[in-house]
Amino acid sequence: MKYNILKYFAGVLILITSFSCSNALDEEVYTFVSGENLIEAKSYNELVSGAFNALTFPFEWGNYHTVVNFDTDYQTGPTWAFGSLGAGNFYENGSNISFYQSYYQCIHRAEYHSFLINQMDIPQDVKDNSKGELAFLTAWSYFNLVQFYGDVPLYKTSVSEGAPLSVPRSPVKDVYAFIIEQLKYAETAMYSTHDAKYVKGHVSRGAAKALLAKVYCTIGSASMAAGNKVYVMEGVPFKFDDDGNKVRISYPSIQSFEKEQVAGYESFNSKEYYKLAMDKAKELINLGDFDLYPSQKELWAPSSKNGKEFIFSLQTLAGNSALSNFVGTDYAGYYDTDGTLSTGYYVQRDHWYQLFDDTDERITWGVIHRVPFNYVKTTGELQYCYYPAKDSVKVRLGIDGYKPTDILRYDAHLYGSKLMKFRQVSVPLDGNRTDFNWPFMRYAEVLLLYAEADNEVNGGPSSEAIAQVDKLNLRNKSKTAAELGTKTPWTQETFRSYILQERVKEFAAEGIRRFDLLRWGIYLQTMNSIGGVDENGVIKRRERKHLLLPLPADEVNTNSFIDTNNPGW
Amino acid sequence: MKKRKKTICCLKHLKAFLLPMLCYLSVMTIQAQSGTVIGTIQDENGGLFGASVVEKGTQNGTITDVNGRFTIAVKNVKNSILKCSFVGYETIEVPLNGRKTIDITMTSAVKTLNEVVAIGYGNVKKRDLTGSVSSVRSEELLKVNPSSINQALQGKIAGVQVSQADGAPGAGISIQIRGANSFTTSAEPLYVIDGIPFNTGSAPETDYATKQTNNPLSLINPRDVKSIEVLKDASSTAIYGSRGANGVILITTKNGYEGRTKVELNINYGIAKPVKLIKVLNGADYAEFRNEGIRNGYIYDGKDYVDEKNLDFPGRWGYTMGTDAVSGKPIKLDSTYLPSPQDFRNGYMNGGNNWQDQIFQNALTQDYNLSISGGDKKGQYMFSLGMLDQQGTIVNSYYKRYSIRSNISRKVTDWIEFGNNLTASKSQNRLARTNTETYGIVNDAISFNPTRDIFDKDEASGVSQDYSNGLSNPYLYVHTAKNILESMNLYNSSYLNITFAKYLVFRQSLGYGYSQDKRNQYYNRYISGGVKPTNGYASQSDSYYESVTAESTLSFNKDFGKINHIDAVAGYTYENVNWGGKSMSGHGFANDINEENNMNAALVQDPNYSNKGKTSLMSYLGRINYILMDKYLITASFRSDGSSRLANNRWANFASGALAWRLSEEKFIKQLGLFDNLKLRVSYGQTGNQGINAYATRSRMTIQQYPIDGSLTNGFAEDRWGGPASPNLKWETTTQYNAGLDISILKNRVNFVIDAYKKYTSDLLQYVYIPISTGFSSIASNYGNVENKGLELAGNFFLIQNKDFTWKMDANISFNRNKIGGLNSDQFSDVCWGMESMFLRRNGQPIGIIYGYQEDGFFDNEAEVRAYKMYKNETDAKIRSMIGQIKYKDNNGDGVIDPLDKAIIGNTNPDFTYGYTNSFTYKDISLSFFFQGTQGNDILNVNLQNYDLASTGNMPQFVWDNRWTDANRENAEFPRADNTFTRSLKASERYVEDGAYLRLKNLSLAYRFLHPIKDIEALNLTLSANNLFTLTKYRWYDPDVNTFGSDTSRRGVDMNSYPSARTVSLGIQLTL
């Protein structure tokens, strides 16, 4: 009996102790925090950085430049690289998906983070600046999306604030209204580059103004009535002679295109937006927040990163695999241990090179003319090839850095322009990731946007427009617009075309050309004037479906408001 | 006295080679008493050797000899009772009643169906089972010399599908019970070892491209396992509630038995070879291929004409020219012979190198196990030591394991008993790079240029290199690539039993598990992964997983009157799991000397990573079994689970019920005189799935750094892969119906178990795709459903049961059909680069459907190309280049081959799987063979992607022999040789192969020597062979392959698999 009492007592004791821990299911976290934690901690800087971090995603595996550069008239390379996006095969292309996805990640973060910062107890100017930066990021992202995809789902608040998981596509017009609204807020909310509180590498009020000018110009050109003329230097790159040999046609010729009105922009008044663009660009020029570097060499010096001409760039960090990229290597190559130049597969086409005056720094300094492509083991010497072919006399004479032993090679990645600008990195290119800050917007563009808008507003370029463009020409040691205009007076059409050409010369491979061709409504005419394939066999033939990128299939399949993809996809 | 002397004598011998065990043995004391009884113990076939005879109430006991005879001195011949026990037999007690000689007959437990099987939170006699439970004994498992217990289950149990990831030592094994319930969460069953759920964290991964998994259960030494029970229907698994949906595997480890100390030494030596090698081109054919590529370049691809002496393999001397510094005349700097295909046929370089010879080897396995067990009335003990050293068939890969187990139990008083089961093990696994998207060593060995020597003194690496296609020299790779996974595991379960009354027992268990995995890697500057510009890549990572489980149960077991029996259990459990890990990596090493040991030496340091988490689970459970008149059996169970992983729906209830009717106890059946046992079982119940990630209900703001003007700043943002918060998540629920029939006829010689089931899983926990425009790509949610229906048949047949000869046969077969429903749109899974969206999930289709392009032969001529819509307007050159290329079906007719043209091209689900064992014994010889196989399943053979005749790599002979040539248009299976480097084959039917196979999994022959020398009771010698032959149409190494392991959405993929081994081994078992 005594045992029994003990027994039951023991049993009851165990039962009580085991049932008593009732809060044991609380979830403890260690490796992440909640939005509320960040409001409390006033982590506004961290929330801004976290949002801009999403810009790095398409650069991790080289997806960004393939979308913005490959599908253009003046870029080429080996067919293995240009076989998908470069050949117009956009459907379910990984880079296309990455482009769409990462900009929506930017938008989500910018909006949600702005919502969090808004709840913080911090000084008003600090709060405004942070929210302004995020508004800029939202606008930038939508601006990219709307140009490539047309109508897109428009989130004005994020799903983390409670927005639904599916929203319908909004018309282009509504997307632009939101972009402009965001930028108008951002241009007043952010610090200026002169402000003591401004930190280099961040976006500033000037960035918002520049982007606003670009948005207005884009609307202006896209909504401009069909039939307006644009001239482009283009044409077939080769022909076959009587013996069936492929013969290169070295020079492009002037092609006259009648622009189309871009779908979705019909309701805008082109003139009105060009006026807005002109004023906004002028406002920024007058503010003096930014300036040009005196030469291409100084512009692309590593020390100039985030400098006075760079309005908005991707921020990178050498040695950090997530925050650096292969852009430099892909475009400019790197010198292997045996001295040969490796990779550097993506080049500007020869026809692009022919657009320049001989003195233009963008080719004299900006293009790599000699490439050591082979190391001869037995002699221990490097073999060089030279570019372009028309420099053969200089080669023979061994001047301008050439040597008589240099030979000509027509390999897809050797006969074309490798651009020096991609060596704006702080560590030597060695085949690993480097810190190339992709320049999203440069001050040079503001000058050209001003000139473009002025030309459209005034029915021809004003002297002010010519003066602004010539700032750039003087820097680049190119013929001035004033000089050109004295020979053959500028017309609205010739100046419009001149500016468009200046843009592709100045911003070669900076992800601007495709947008330009699309917004001017001359994408199809331009691409198809190449005549099917370029000199390297890259397919440049395009159809109407190529005017918009296909939405990722996941968006179409999962969005309850979207039944079909863009036309033709 | 005699007995005692013998023990001491025996100890002397032991000392010689088992000195450390001495202390355990010396515990034994045998009391000599007056009054000697002589007797025999036998079964229907004769004397039983090794049966234990104990005088009841004492520690006095003995073991029968080879003829079943025993001698025991007892206290009192009149009153003493002898308790006789033997594994697999019913324990009986025999009162002596004054007899001094006695013959005792024991009956086999198997035949009486009184065998006890473990079920969740209790045991039940097999005859009283109401649910669907299959049981496998240790002897059965050990026949295949398994290095892990889950591996040993393959083909043994109906409804249990075991697939290995590949043949690598220590590789992951995935088990599916009754089909896949789920596609994004795990479909692995719950493992319960000695009553405590067994979980380990996942080991740190090699890298993104590698799918190699390890097998955490291999840390449990299979030789320590007594039995494995597989709980299949909901009535048996519902007691495990939220974790029971995928079935439950109960593992019971060995314990000691009352009686004298048993010492067992097992030694196993094995030698293994790959099951097969893939025949690749020899030097001559390879040279021919390269030359043909160049010729085709001219014929079809518009390349310049190359004359015969300038082909890649021309058969002439080649020179490097230079200029003489003095005379300025050209001189020969260097000369090399450039062989022709014919030269190789004539024996140049012995016909070429087969690089598979450089990576495969005859691998040795050594396995040593020592166990000591025993016990008395007050308790038992079992202690074991094990060491396994298994070489892989790929050079330099191996798996080593060291394990210790100690199981003890002790009665403190007649109402308090405690016990403790402890396992500690450590393993080291050196992995060859297999099961990977990139740099797979096996594919490397197939592809590497056969016309190259192994060594090349001109190369800095010392071996020949082939820079044309980025492959590593396979010899160098296997000898230097370093990837070692070290695991430590501690697993302890303790219990305290308080017997309040004979019918009421309280049990408190406490389980503790800790596992740690450490992975070290180094790839030097001459091999893939480390070549310039990387210059050596190193990484170190580790992870830990710690779990604490407390369980309190109260069981009740009582007869009421003569016809009612109630067996019930109620309990409370709490489980708490902590895990974490970290990793560092870097590259850019000055040299390869220190490998990854000094991470400071890396010029480029990658970011460090760490993680940590915690979950807890609290449950209330109960079950009641009611047996009426030994005929009608009713079981009902209930479990309520609360989980920290869930937020708004934290608690969920799971219930089940089962009925069984033992028809053979009914008069009308008895009258038939046919059935020894006939039992009908039906059950219904609900269970949940454990596979939901922790923290899925929350918005997770993680560190997302961003550099501002070159200085790194901290950033916070929601993790881009994780998805937004999903606070309303709940458990997915599986409802299962089961009907079963147990039949025994012909004096229990023929036994059948038949089960039919239907499972319906709803509210699937999965990461469902959401519009990308949300900023996320998926959200954890309850969405969709899966239905599994199936039939399982198992039979065992005691065909011949003579004194000297027995023949036993076991067979099982299972059928499962699976169907997805409730999806709003199709879902896809990628396989690898170039095989995106290759697995489809679509309403009405099973999980595991392969989705890809279809082919329509080859373009045989220009007219055929021209007639194809896509090339209608192409140039003549383009048209010509398409001849001999694959013609893909443009299913939607839009003139473009894009993902819209994809169709269903395969199904990786088998129609059925089966296993079949025959065992024969003749006197002391026993022979058994075991067949196992699957039927009707496809395999996605990703390996073939590498062999497209468009690079400079070598290839399997069947690719070359069946290529398209001008002369072989009709029977072409592969496109023509092409050296333009532009070919990119689409993910089409050509990668889908028939995966059915029939395999002689094991053949073993054993001989038992009794008393071979003095003091040794028995010596068993076993010669066994695994994977002796396989009948299959599958063209790669082994159809038993499953790259993605437990990922049910991508089963049956072969991507750079490690070939399975054919093993011959000799086992020596010594019993003292």
Side-chain angles (χ1 to χ4, degrees), chain A residues 182-200:
Chain A
Q182 293 294 305
L183 288 174
K184 281 187 167 164
Y185 168 72
E187 70 172 331
T188 56
M190 278 191 276
Y191 301 137
S192 91
T193 50
H194 305 301
D195 212 311
K197 287 183 171 177
Y198 171 75
V199 177
K200 203 172 158 187

Side-chain angles (χ1 to χ4, degrees), chain A residues 7 14 18 24-25 27-28 33 46 49 53 60 105 108-109 113 155 160 306 315 317 430 432 555 558, chain B residues 415 499-500 506 533 572 574 614 616 695 698 701 704-707 709 713 715-716 718 720 772-773:
Chain A
K7 248 197 262 188
I14 290 164
S18 49
L25 292 181
E27 193 171 37
E28 288 175 43
V33 297
E46 288 78 1
S49 286
N53 162 279
E60 282 177 314
Q105 281 162 336
H108 168 81
R109 289 182 178 186
H113 294 186
Y155 278 94
S160 295
N306 295 317
Q315 300 295 300
L317 186 64
D430 62 356
N432 287 302
E555 180 74 41
T558 55
Chain B
W415 59 275
T499 309
F500 296 119
F506 173 82
Y572 162 84
Y574 179 71
K614 182 178 169 180
S616 36
Y695 309 121
R698 293 165 178 265
M701 299 289 280
Q704 311 271 317
Q705 292 158 333
Y706 193 62
D709 196 31
T713 64
F716 276 102
E718 282 167 293
R720 62 174 149 153
I772 297 173
S773 52

